[in-house]
Amino acid sequence: GSFLFLGPTGGGKTLSSLRYALAHAMYFRKSRLIFTSPLLSILEQNAAVIHQYVGDDSLILEHHSNVVQTEPAQGELDERELLVQSWNAPIIITTLVQLLNTLFDGRTTAIRRFQALCSSVIVIDEVQTVPNRMLALFNLTISFLSEICGATVVLCSATQPCLEQAEHPITVPVGDIIVHDAALWEAFRRTELVDAGARALEDIPSFILDRLEGTDSLLVICNKKSEAEFLYRELSGRNARCFHLSASMCAAHRRKTLEAVQASLARPGKTLCIATQVVEAGVDLSFGCVIRLTAGLDNVIQAAGRCNRNGEAAQPGHVYVLECAGERLGNLQEIQRSKDAMVSLLARFRGQPEAFQNDLSSDEAVRCYYRRLYREMPLGYQDYPVRGGPSLYSLLSLNEDSMEEETGFALNQAFRRAGALFRVFDEETEDVLTPYGGGADCIADLQSSRAGDPCYRQACLDRAKVYTVSLFRY
């Protein structure tokens, strides 16, 4: 079956889902546990917790790009590489990308892992991060794993998408692991979402300074790097220690800045952090107040997870939802659609707040947001459309658009073509190695005469990961 674990941000979903998965696997004799997270930062935190409580590292296989592996002795089989290809380990910790690749990617190394999903317990953390264009593939695969493969799938989220409202909904019943109890949830009520209206970008610094007067720490999250850069330049040197974080910084730079922010939060005085979405999830920071430029409700609630995170304040912290008037999101269509759905929700909330229990983060608000989001998507968008050809949903189902009248095979589905076209995220980006910190040495090593040795070059590239940034082609 499929189960929904709807837990508030900071509600201990990692340990709770581990406990449930272990008990369920023992009772129903499941073959293995598979834990997935959307971001490496979240994955590493969750992996540390799972390693600590399982207590036996030999039972756990981590499959993600941040695993540092030692070279096997010459002539020996790389045991870890064999396990990565087969997932024949009792507990797998991996990324959402690796799970989706196992389901849809056409490469043999990905397909080989599919057998490991049968009769397993699959915990998908932050399920709302599954890209909307593959909702049809995701929903029908979850149904297939549950009904045909004997897997139990646990969907974890603080803002559970209404997957039953999608064009191709989940066909198996989804049960709640924890029945909603208002008194139980009240203990996790650490923030209050506040509709702050709309302001032009040049007027937002004054709004930030007004909010900063009433708190020692303030986080501002923007939709665009250019917005964050403008606000940082405007507010630097004011009456607070000011920091900036964005995806234009390599991982090593972000990590160093996060450590500086953490240290600043522990000292007397005011701390102001201007950031993009990179701090919305998987970052263990807690601010007294948060301002989120209007985006999807799931983004806003994730941002709220950085406010009064550990219940430091007696009263709920304020999370202001502020629309940047005249904001242009031309190349960010997903964010634009999510923002439009949120603006619609805010309008309904202003007119009838009691319909949402006077709470923008209520279950009613979340359902209203997702219904609007799905309704406004172009027809077929959830089917993984392919430019100039049929969607992946079409290729993997009836494949009616096939050019050939008679294939000569028993199956019409274009598995190889669909597998070759599948990408979890748009890959129209280039990885650029920066000379930040140890990146300068990596650049020099890659340009040295030894770089002709494939093993040496691969070692250099592994070291270079934390000094790279991904830039869109445009």
Side-chain angles (χ1 to χ4, degrees):
S2 295
F3 293 93
L4 167 61
F5 181 24
L6 183 62
T9 304
K13 290 195 289 292
T14 304
L15 270 180
S16 301
S17 59
L18 173 62
R19 185 176 182 182
Y20 174 83
L22 285 167
H24 186 91
M26 183 175 69
Y27 188 82
F28 291 102
R29 303 182 67 82
K30 298 295 183 183
S31 57
R32 62 181 49 82
L33 313 182
I34 300 172
F35 293 88
T36 78
S37 295
L39 299 174
L40 286 171
S41 53
I42 300 176
L43 189 73
E44 289 180 330
Q45 287 182 30
N46 292 356
V49 170
I50 293 169
H51 276 283
Q52 178 187 349
Y53 281 86
V54 170
D56 185 350
D57 289 351
S58 68
L59 299 176
I60 301 171
L61 170 69
E62 290 191 50
H63 181 194
H64 53 87
S65 60
N66 277 14
V67 173
V68 177
Q69 54 194 95
T70 55
E71 289 293 318
Q74 190 171 8
E76 285 185 14
L77 283 172
D78 186 343
E79 184 180 358
R80 184 185 178 280
E81 185 60 31
L82 292 173
L83 288 174
V84 163
Q85 290 192 19
S86 66
W87 277 9
N88 285 331
I91 299 175
I92 311 290
I93 302 173
T94 190
T95 59
L96 179 64
V97 169
Q98 292 292 358
L99 177 67
L100 293 172
N101 280 343
T102 299
L103 298 172
F104 306 116
D105 195 300
R107 288 172 295 182
T108 308
T109 49
I111 297 167
R112 193 176 291 144
R113 297 193 294 265
F114 196 97
Q115 50 79 31
L117 304 180
C118 297
S119 191
S120 63
V121 183
I122 305 169
V123 179
I124 303 177
D125 194 18
E126 307 293 0
V127 69
Q128 80 281 353
T129 59
V130 173
N132 289 321
R133 67 194 173 118
M134 61 182 68
L135 277 174
L137 299 182
F138 181 78
N139 286 347
L140 297 176
T141 302
I142 295 302
S143 302
F144 177 80
L145 289 171
S146 298
E147 288 183 311
I148 309 300
C149 300
T152 297
V153 185
V154 181
L155 308 174
C156 298
S157 178
T159 51
Q160 175 62 31
C162 300
L163 298 176
E164 71 283 357
Q165 299 283 335
E167 280 184 46
H168 300 281
I170 282 184
T171 57
V172 291
V174 180
D176 287 326
I177 289 179
I178 303 171
V179 178
H180 188 277
D181 181 338
L184 182 66
W185 251 243
E186 191 59 35
F188 295 102
R189 186 175 172 77
R190 296 165 185 168
T191 59
E192 179 183 353
L193 301 188
V194 180
D195 179 4
R199 286 174 179 248
L201 182 61
E202 54 268 22
D203 296 329
I204 291 176
S206 61
F207 180 82
I208 293 172
L209 290 171
D210 289 344
R211 302 286 80 74
L212 193 58
E213 285 183 11
T215 184
D216 286 335
S217 57
L218 175 61
L219 171 66
V220 183
I221 303 179
C222 307
N223 289 324
K224 298 167 67 178
K225 288 181 278 191
S226 59
E227 294 167 345
E229 183 184 352
F230 169 79
L231 294 176
Y232 176 71
R233 292 189 188 281
E234 288 289 309
L235 294 162
S236 291
R238 300 293 184 101
N239 59 337
R241 294 183 291 272
C242 196
F243 300 90
H244 172 247
L245 282 160
S246 89
S248 284
M249 301 157 71
C250 65
H253 192 178
R254 286 204 304 271
R255 191 177 300 136
K256 186 175 181 180
T257 305
L258 284 167
E259 289 170 359
V261 173
Q262 190 76 275
S264 179
L265 290 169
R267 288 160 48 201
K270 292 185 182 292
T271 300
L272 173 62
C273 183
I274 312 290
T276 59
Q277 288 170 275
V278 293
V279 299
E280 264 184 3
V283 176
D284 193 9
L285 294 175
S286 182
F287 293 81
C289 177
V290 170
I291 297 171
R292 180 59 168 97
L293 297 195
T294 307
L297 182 60
D298 50 334
N299 296 103
V300 172
I301 291 177
Q302 282 289 350
R306 307 320 112 194
C307 180
N308 194 24
R309 183 171 175 80
N310 305 307
E312 304 94 340
Q315 298 298 318
H318 284 155
V319 177
Y320 294 94
V321 184
L322 177 64
E323 184 177 356
C324 182
E327 183 180 50
R328 293 181 178 176
L329 299 169
N331 291 311
L332 304 168
Q333 289 301 309
E334 283 280 325
I335 296 177
Q336 183 68 64
R337 266 192 284 268
S338 300
K339 178 183 174 180
D340 291 345
M342 184 64 183
V343 168
S344 174
L345 170 64
L346 289 170
R348 289 192 62 183
F349 186 83
R350 289 182 202 118
Q352 204 176 6
E354 64 278 0
F356 304 98
Q357 301 174 346
N358 297 299
D359 181 5
L360 267 171
S361 61
S362 65
D363 286 351
E364 290 80 2
V366 172
R367 281 196 291 269
C368 176
Y369 164 75
Y370 277 112
R371 280 198 298 270
R372 168 63 192 251
L373 179 64
Y374 293 163
R375 190 169 64 243
E376 295 303 315
M377 286 178 186
L379 186 66
Y381 180 75
Q382 299 175 17
D383 294 353
Y384 199 121
V386 175
R387 191 177 300 165
S391 68
L392 257 64
Y393 173 79
S394 173
L395 290 173
L396 293 171
S397 54
L398 297 177
N399 195 18
E400 293 170 329
D401 298 314
S402 174
M403 299 299 290
E404 298 179 28
E405 294 276 329
E406 286 290 333
T407 62
F409 298 101
L411 298 174
N412 276 342
Q413 289 78 13
F415 291 112
R416 184 165 62 180
R417 185 178 170 198
L421 289 168
F422 179 78
R423 299 286 185 277
V424 177
F425 299 109
D426 289 329
E427 294 186 350
E428 292 187 4
T429 58
E430 295 288 354
D431 284 341
V432 179
L433 176 52
T434 70
Y436 177 85
D441 292 335
C442 292
I443 291 171
D445 291 342
L446 285 166
Q447 291 177 327
S448 71
S449 57
R450 291 189 62 192
D453 175 5
C455 291
Y456 179 80
R457 187 168 64 246
Q458 186 59 51
C460 291
L461 290 171
D462 288 342
R463 281 191 292 119
K465 282 178 186 173
V466 294
Y467 305 114
T468 60
V469 292
S470 291
L471 302 180
F472 286 103
R473 301 264 169 88
Y474 61 81

